[in-house]
Amino acid sequence: MSVPAAPLRPRPFLPAFLLGWGLGALVLLLVRGAGLALLEGPCQGRTVLALLPPLLLGPGGLALTALNWNRPRRAALGLGLVAASLVPALAVGARDIGVLRASGCAGGYVVMSRGGHPVAELVVDAGSTLDLTVRVGGYSAQTHPGPFIFSSQVPAPGLSVSFGQAGAEAGQTVPLRVTVAPGTPANAYVLQVRAVQQAGQQTFEATGSLTLTVRP
């Protein structure tokens, strides 16, 4: 006489996993809500707020899973927290950081390009001329309207720099000409370009550098 098979019980993995994911999403909402209520200004502490939920949920969920590997429900709960650290926590944090960069909270930078391609280092012969372009990045014309004024720090007497125009709004390209006088000693020179915008009592700055290796 055969013994009837015991009925299969649903595995506890999926409900515990979904519970962990839901708890992670709840932690994200609570941390963001508290941060937005406590932080003042559009920039201060916003990067930490964007990174805090995934940093809490990811390592915390992995630790919970590792400590309870022989307990499927608790391990699944930890894996749910890890999943929540990626989506939605990390996805929302990455979007917030992108917004911070667009608003200038992450600072500005000057991009120097040649032929439409950004460059950080060039080799040039003494007695030659380079035609480049510069633009201000890290800010936008919507969040920081008005021109940024360009200036440069010439690293050697044999080098001269001239801008096509004194200033431009963020994102606009400006011609930049670098002239290397004949007889300039062969060496590597670092050209510094600075762009400054004065808005009332606030000053916004962007900088960039280009290494020029001069050949005789």
Side-chain angles (χ1 to χ4, degrees):
M1 182 176 178
S2 60
V3 179
L8 295 177
R9 295 181 179 180
R11 293 187 177 183
F13 176 84
L14 185 58
F17 177 84
L18 294 177
L19 177 61
W21 187 90
L23 290 175
L26 180 62
V27 169
L28 171 65
L29 293 176
L30 292 176
V31 171
R32 282 178 58 83
L36 294 176
L38 296 175
L39 293 177
E40 297 180 358
C43 299
Q44 186 177 6
R46 303 288 174 166
T47 301
V48 175
L49 178 62
L51 297 177
L52 187 59
L55 290 177
L56 288 175
L57 296 173
L62 289 175
L64 182 62
T65 302
L67 292 174
N68 297 277
W69 190 250
N70 295 325
R71 300 177 179 177
R73 290 185 178 179
R74 294 187 181 182
L77 183 68
L79 291 177
L81 293 175
V82 173
S85 74
L86 300 175
V87 179
L90 186 60
V92 172
R95 182 192 64 83
D96 289 345
I97 291 177
V99 172
L100 289 174
R101 290 190 63 86
S103 62
C105 291
Y109 50 88
V110 174
V111 179
M112 285 175 268
S113 303
R114 186 183 190 186
H117 302 284
V119 292
E121 184 175 358
L122 290 174
V123 178
V124 60
D125 296 323
S128 61
T129 300
L130 288 174
D131 287 317
L132 310 171
T133 60
V134 294
R135 65 175 176 85
V136 173
Y139 300 106
S140 68
Q142 289 73 31
T143 58
H144 294 76
F148 283 81
I149 306 303
F150 292 100
S151 62
S152 63
Q153 182 179 353
V154 180
L159 299 177
S160 61
V161 176
S162 62
F163 296 95
Q165 59 192 66
E169 290 192 348
Q172 293 182 344
T173 59
V174 172
L176 169 67
R177 173 165 290 184
V178 180
T179 302
V180 184
T184 301
N187 203 344
Y189 302 96
V190 179
L191 173 65
Q192 300 283 348
V193 175
R194 184 169 177 252
V196 177
Q197 182 190 76
Q198 191 72 36
Q201 300 297 325
Q202 290 184 304
T203 300
F204 302 98
E205 181 177 339
T207 59
S209 62
L210 175 65
T211 300
L212 296 173
T213 301
V214 177
R215 301 182 301 193

